[in-house]
Structures are given as C-alpha cells and as structure tokens.
Amino acid sequence: MSEDVRLYIVTDDPARACLAVIGCHITELPPIFRIVTGPEEIAAIPNGARCIGHWFSWKVRRPSRAQMVWEELRARAGDRRPIGLDDKFFQLIDEWNAKRRKAESERLASIVAEYVTDNSQGGAPAENPQKQRWF
C-alpha cells in the first residue's frame, strides 16, 4: 500500500461507496483514495491509516471473510488501530469536489463557446476529441 493514500474505503461495492463517501464516480477517484474490498487488501491497510468502512450488504449471521478482517482491523489496540474520520476531513473532501466541479464547469463552458463560435462562422466545427461523447 502506498504512503500517499490519505483514505482507505473498505466496502463490498466500490462504485457505490465511492459516490457515497467521496461524491465522485470511481473513474474520477484520485490516487489519494484507495478502495479495498478483499480480505487480503483489508489486512494490508497500514497501521494507523485513515479508513472508513462503507458496507451495503453487511451479513450479520454469516459474515464474509472481508467483513471479519475489517472487524479485526477495527478491534486492534493502540497505534495499530485505523484512524477514523471527522468533520474536518469530510470538509476537505467537499472542498475538493467543489474545485473539481468548478474546473469541469469552466472547461465545459469553453468547449461550448468554441463550438458556438465554429457554428456561427458557417462551417462545421473542427474535429476535437474533447468534444466527443463517451457513451
């Protein structure tokens, strides 16, 4: 695991947890966040790392191996226990999302302005791979 990771998200559904915790799609997740799902990955979370568990199918009667490892990790004593999250950390995530959305909005506005300018000059817009749709 990298020392550059600021938050580990332990989950059984990476895409949903990414949206719920970070507020972005998993394809947009920066490398300072790491989503872990398997027991080996969970067990490898460094001592004292900041992490959050976000489970969608918590099985009480028959927990999965990943759930058991997560519970063991949370039960560790002293400096080996993971660090939890506080409001300040979530505020940093919200600030990051606001900056990201602003940059995306500005970029989209410049693409639209370029497209409108190209169309107003009577010709088809120049081929621009940034304008292509990704469906």
Side-chain angles (χ1 to χ4, degrees):
M1 299 281 170
S2 173
E3 293 178 12
D4 296 334
V5 175
R6 303 302 278 302
L7 174 65
Y8 292 87
I9 302 170
V10 182
T11 186
D12 58 340
D13 189 332
R16 285 176 63 192
C18 189
L19 280 171
V21 176
I22 306 301
C24 70
H25 290 281
I26 199 163
T27 57
E28 302 168 325
L29 190 68
I32 61 170
F33 302 109
R34 172 94 31 93
I35 297 180
V36 294
T37 58
E40 296 80 18
E41 292 176 302
I42 297 168
I45 293 174
N47 295 337
R50 180 177 282 126
C51 52
I52 184 172
H54 202 87
W55 299 86
F56 295 92
S57 299
W58 189 262
K59 299 172 187 156
V60 177
R61 185 163 179 251
R62 291 187 181 169
S64 68
R65 178 75 181 122
Q67 284 176 245
M68 289 189 284
V69 173
W70 172 242
E71 287 298 314
E72 290 170 11
L73 181 71
R74 291 181 56 218
R76 290 180 181 170
D79 63 349
R80 297 188 57 187
R81 187 174 185 169
I83 299 171
L85 300 179
D86 56 13
D87 286 337
K88 184 178 178 182
F89 193 82
F90 281 110
Q91 286 173 348
L92 291 173
I93 292 172
D94 291 342
E95 288 171 13
W96 171 79
N97 269 318
K99 288 176 185 175
R100 181 179 60 85
R101 286 186 190 108
K102 183 179 178 191
E104 288 172 353
S105 177
E106 290 170 354
R107 181 66 187 134
L108 181 59
S110 73
I111 290 171
V112 169
E114 181 183 325
Y115 183 78
V116 169
T117 301
D118 288 344
N119 277 342
S120 68
Q121 295 174 0
E127 188 62 35
N128 184 339
Q130 294 174 340
K131 292 181 185 174
Q132 293 178 354
R133 290 186 169 181
W134 296 89
F135 295 159

